[in-house]
């Protein structure tokens, strides 16, 4: 279902190979720590945690933490624990999100809630958050703890903001940006910032990585918004059209609704507010988005935030890690090509 997006014709796909290579040794230690810290005498906890942890995600956020620490010459052990904490925070939010969104599929597999139920998914998410905070404390950096704990609070606020705005077609673009800044970009930002923090880099360097992560996260989420109406399940990690079926008001919907005729807005009201979201409705939604340039403009805004992320790193000294972090921007946006 959907249309394949190709905005600029054929080109070599962007890659995060350099990032993977640079962080491979540390990610091996992160993966060991993940398995260790996801363990519990309560049998259901490792079952649910490992179901999601082993489901094929790229672990981009912890790699950002590792690369950002390396970039400033960090030689200790704390970056591994912080990277693991970041991944646990991300995993916990996925478990919680799937319950809130009533999602059935995550990265091509049944969601934990579909196998073990909503209550177990929420509680195991809470367990992972607790383990994340224990690792942050073990690192002993109050500033890193402050950054990541603040991010956890902001993410929860973003979830509540999204819930409050659910199915509201009067949501503005600014309001949507506020939601995705909290829900998605805050963790990218924190993941990137704690690296230079524990490396005791300058305030300017920390600010640069924080800005990079925030704008990368915004670009990443906007591309996800676009892919829901024109990607593949493999690219997206869930069913194409899930946002539409769940009545989510994402940027392509906001733009198509505001630019549409009165009759078209009536269609959106029926689809989103009244939950009339069959396959024919999805095809019509994609057609209206295409007619009004909503998907292309969503990608354009993602590119804009990607350029801000690139500019945030521009003044920093050239290193292999800086180059790899820039590649991440291109990779995130190239998912639509």
């Amino acid at each position: 279902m959907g249309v394949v997006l190709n905005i600029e014709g054929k080109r070599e796909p962007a890659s995060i190979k350099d990032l993977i290579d640079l962080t491979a040794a540390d990610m091996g230690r992160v993966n060991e720590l993940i398995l260790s810290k996801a363990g519990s005498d309560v049998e259901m906890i490792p079952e649910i945690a490992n179901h999601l942890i082993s489901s094929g995600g790229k672990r981009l956020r912890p790699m950002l933490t590792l690369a950002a620490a390396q970039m400033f010459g960090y030689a200790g052990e704390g970056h591994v624990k912080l990277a693991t904490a970041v991944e646990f925070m991300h995993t916990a939010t996925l478990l919680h999100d799937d319950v809130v969104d009533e999602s059935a599929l995550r990265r091509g597999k049944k969601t934990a809630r579909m196998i073990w139920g909503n209550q177990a998914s929420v509680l195991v998410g809470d367990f992972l958050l607790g383990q994340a905070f224990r690792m942050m404390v073990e690192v002993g950096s109050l500033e890193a703890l402050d950054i990541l704990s603040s991010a956890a609070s902001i993410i929860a606020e973003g979830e509540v903001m999204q819930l409050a705005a659910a199915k509201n077609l009067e949501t503005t673009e600014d309001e949507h940006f506020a939601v995705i800044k909290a829900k998605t970009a805050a963790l990218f930002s924190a993941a990137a910032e704690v690296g230079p923090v524990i490396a005791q880099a300058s305030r300017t360097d920390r600010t640069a990585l924080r800005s990079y992560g925030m704008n990368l996260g915004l670009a990443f989420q906007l591309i996800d918004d676009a892919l829901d109406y024109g990607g593949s399940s493999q690219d997206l990690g869930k069913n194409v059209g899930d946002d539409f079926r769940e009545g989510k008001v994402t940027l392509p919907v906001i733009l198509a609704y505001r630019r549409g005729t009165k009759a078209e807005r009536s269609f959106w009201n029926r689809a989103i507010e009244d939950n009339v979201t069959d396959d024919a409705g999805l095809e019509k939604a994609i057609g209206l988005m295409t007619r009004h340039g909503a998907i292309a403009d969503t990608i354009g805004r993602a590119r804009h935030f990607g350029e801000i992320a690139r500019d945030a790193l521009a003044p920093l000294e050239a290193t292999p890690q800086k180059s790899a972090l820039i590649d991440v921007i291109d990779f995130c946006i190239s998912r639509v090509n």
Side-chain angles (χ1 to χ4, degrees):
M1 186 67 65
V3 293
V4 176
L5 297 171
N6 190 339
I7 304 304
E8 295 180 344
K10 274 196 168 183
R11 61 178 182 174
E12 285 299 307
S15 170
I16 56 170
K17 182 180 182 303
D18 288 350
L19 179 70
I20 292 170
D21 290 346
L22 285 167
T23 60
D26 285 339
M27 277 304 298
R29 295 154 68 202
V30 168
N31 290 331
E32 290 175 4
L33 195 55
I34 284 172
L35 293 174
S36 170
K37 296 296 184 180
S40 169
D41 292 335
V42 181
E43 186 176 337
M44 192 181 290
I45 289 176
E47 283 182 2
I48 295 176
N50 290 329
H51 172 79
L52 189 53
I53 288 166
S54 65
S55 64
K58 293 181 177 64
R59 301 210 172 135
L60 181 57
R61 295 158 187 81
M63 284 194 286
L64 294 182
T65 299
L66 297 174
Q70 291 175 7
M71 189 175 176
F72 298 100
Y74 181 71
E77 298 290 322
H79 65 322
V80 172
K81 288 185 177 180
L82 291 180
T84 307
V86 164
E87 183 63 11
F88 272 18
M89 288 173 66
H90 176 56
T91 304
T93 62
L94 295 184
L95 285 166
H96 292 163
D97 281 356
D98 286 342
V99 171
V100 172
D101 298 337
E102 300 181 346
S103 297
L105 188 70
R106 168 73 65 181
R107 295 173 187 149
K109 295 168 63 174
K110 280 187 176 180
T111 53
R113 62 173 287 272
M114 297 296 290
I115 301 172
W116 290 279
N118 287 337
Q119 296 94 329
S121 292
V122 169
L123 293 172
V124 172
D126 291 344
F127 170 82
L128 293 177
L129 281 175
Q131 292 291 71
F133 281 106
R134 286 179 66 183
M135 285 183 281
M136 293 175 212
V137 171
E138 288 171 7
V139 171
S141 168
L142 278 177
E143 191 169 2
L145 175 61
D146 179 51
I147 290 164
L148 287 170
S149 60
S150 295
S153 178
I154 291 166
I155 292 164
E157 287 177 341
E159 276 293 338
V160 176
M161 287 165 62
Q162 185 177 61
L163 193 61
K167 298 183 181 295
N168 179 12
L169 285 163
E170 299 305 320
T171 300
T172 65
E173 191 168 340
D174 285 343
E175 288 169 339
H176 181 62
F177 284 148
V179 170
I180 64 175
K181 186 175 182 180
K183 269 198 65 182
T184 302
L187 186 55
F188 274 90
S189 180
E193 186 181 4
V194 292
V197 163
I198 61 168
Q200 298 185 325
S202 71
R203 182 65 59 182
T204 299
D205 291 337
R206 299 177 192 185
T207 301
L209 268 293
R210 179 171 67 244
S211 175
Y212 162 82
M214 180 63 70
N215 287 286
L216 175 67
L218 288 167
F220 183 92
Q221 185 57 54
L222 288 172
I223 294 298
D224 264 10
D225 286 357
L227 282 172
D228 196 71
Y229 293 95
S232 69
S233 295
Q234 182 178 0
D235 291 329
L236 200 54
K238 60 180 183 177
N239 287 318
V240 172
D242 270 359
D243 286 352
F244 180 72
R245 295 183 188 93
E246 293 165 8
K248 286 186 178 178
V249 181
T250 58
L251 188 58
V253 174
I254 292 168
L255 296 179
Y257 176 78
R258 291 185 172 274
R259 295 170 181 177
T261 64
K262 184 177 181 180
E264 289 168 357
R265 286 195 291 274
S266 294
F267 160 78
W268 287 112
N269 283 318
R270 288 194 306 277
I272 302 298
E273 294 178 358
D274 300 334
N275 201 35
V276 182
T277 55
D278 55 15
D279 287 349
L282 178 57
E283 289 290 359
K284 181 168 183 178
I286 292 168
L288 292 175
M289 289 174 178
T290 303
R291 179 185 305 169
H292 294 294
I295 297 175
D297 284 352
T298 296
I299 296 164
R301 282 150 173 78
R303 293 190 192 284
H304 168 73
F305 287 116
E307 290 306 315
I308 297 174
R310 192 186 309 273
D311 287 341
L313 296 182
L316 303 184
E317 181 181 346
T319 64
Q321 289 80 13
K322 174 181 172 179
S323 177
L325 292 177
I326 291 171
D327 287 345
V328 175
I329 303 167
D330 296 328
F331 169 78
C332 287
I333 293 172
S334 73
R335 293 179 298 152
V336 297
N337 291 312

